[in-house]
Amino acid sequence: KNEVEQSPQNLTAQEGEFITINCSYSVGISALHWLQQHPGGGIVSLFMLSSGKKKHGRLIATINIQEKHSSLHITASHPRDSAVYICAVSRGNTDKLIFGTGTRLQVFP
Amino acid sequence: GAVVSQHPSRVICKSGTSVKIECRSLDFQATTMFWYRQFPKQSLMLMATSNEGSKATYEQGVEKDKFLINHASLTLSTLTVTSAHPEDSSFYICSATSYGPGNHYEQYFGPGTRLTVT
């Protein structure tokens, strides 16, 4: 069993829909990261969370440390949001990331 | 935000040759740099952790003599794939970490290098 699990693996949506991607982990962490990878391959760090909730534009990330669960929400989705979204966790005092398998999102106009 | 560059972005080489990939932090000094590889439709796999001035720490199963990592300065790390074979064809991504106030760190990713070995 992977230490970081994401669901769903694939997600399609119509433009404007509210999207939720889930991440569960089974290890103790110091922080959880949400990353975005576009078809060209480049990776952008969206959020780093250790508690609570963060918001940036149409993106919201939440984390529940007790339940070892995080969600990434996209409000008013747009075709340009189409990408692979990756959840990753870092442990203790090391910077090393453990990655989930990613969620491939396609938003259609 | 901080920028990490990689060069080249794409490289095609013949089997048996060596290829060097550079990773630079452009506007900050990186405490640590990481090298990852990614196969199609799979997640990133950490290959090694690189700290300036010291030997890289390789993950289990990664051949250190095949994937040579040099971290010459706080802004540059290089990955050399020696005697490349077609199975080394992959997408290689580096990342760099920078510590801010309160020992809070951020990890910034490079755009990746697509290596094709023919």
Side-chain angles (χ1 to χ4, degrees), chain A residues 29-46:
Chain A
I29 68 169
S30 56
L32 183 142
H33 303 251
W34 281 103
L35 311 171
Q36 180 191 55
Q37 186 173 30
H38 277 285
I43 292 178
V44 174
S45 180
L46 298 175

Side-chain angles (χ1 to χ4, degrees), chain A residues 33 35 37 40-43 45 48 54 86 90 93-97 99-102 104, chain B residues 32 34 36 38 41 43-44 46 49 59 91 93 97 99 104-107 109-111 114:
Chain A
H33 303 251
L35 311 171
Q37 186 173 30
I43 292 178
S45 180
M48 186 174 82
K54 286 189 177 180
I86 303 169
S90 51
N93 58 4
T94 174
D95 305 346
K96 285 168 59 170
L97 296 180
F99 293 88
T101 51
R104 188 172 300 272
Chain B
T32 303
F34 298 92
Y36 303 91
Q38 185 180 35
K41 302 208 175 185
S43 194
L44 286 77
L46 179 65
T49 303
E59 294 298 298
F91 192 59
I93 303 172
T97 58
Y99 280 85
H104 170 82
Y105 79 93
E106 292 281 350
Q107 188 158 157
F109 289 84
R114 191 162 300 283

Side-chain angles (χ1 to χ4, degrees), chain B residues 36-54:
Chain B
Y36 303 91
R37 66 187 299 182
Q38 185 180 35
F39 292 107
K41 302 208 175 185
Q42 293 188 24
S43 194
L44 286 77
M45 279 179 41
L46 179 65
M47 298 174 68
T49 303
S50 172
N51 291 293
E52 183 261 341
S54 61

Side-chain angles (χ1 to χ4, degrees), chain A:
Chain A
K1 189 181 190 309
N2 292 338
E3 292 171 304
V4 181
E5 298 269 2
Q6 284 184 237
S7 64
Q9 284 190 328
N10 295 284
L11 184 56
T12 57
Q14 287 295 125
E15 183 172 356
E17 283 185 7
F18 180 82
I19 288 161
T20 296
I21 300 170
N22 295 300
C23 175
S24 297
Y25 53 93
S26 57
V27 295
I29 68 169
S30 56
L32 183 142
H33 303 251
W34 281 103
L35 311 171
Q36 180 191 55
Q37 186 173 30
H38 277 285
I43 292 178
V44 174
S45 180
L46 298 175
F47 295 104
M48 186 174 82
L49 293 164
S50 52
S51 65
K53 176 179 173 178
K54 286 189 177 180
K55 184 176 189 291
H56 185 252
R58 294 181 294 107
L59 302 178
I60 303 166
T62 64
I63 187 168
N64 184 317
I65 298 294
Q66 287 73 32
E67 294 186 5
K68 295 188 174 178
H69 181 267
S70 175
S71 293
L72 176 68
H73 306 286
I74 305 175
T75 61
S77 60
H78 190 277
R80 64 174 174 266
D81 297 326
S82 299
V84 175
Y85 291 84
I86 303 169
C87 171
V89 300
S90 51
R91 303 190 62 186
N93 58 4
T94 174
D95 305 346
K96 285 168 59 170
L97 296 180
I98 304 170
F99 293 88
T101 51
T103 296
R104 188 172 300 272
L105 170 66
Q106 286 187 297
V107 182
F108 294 99

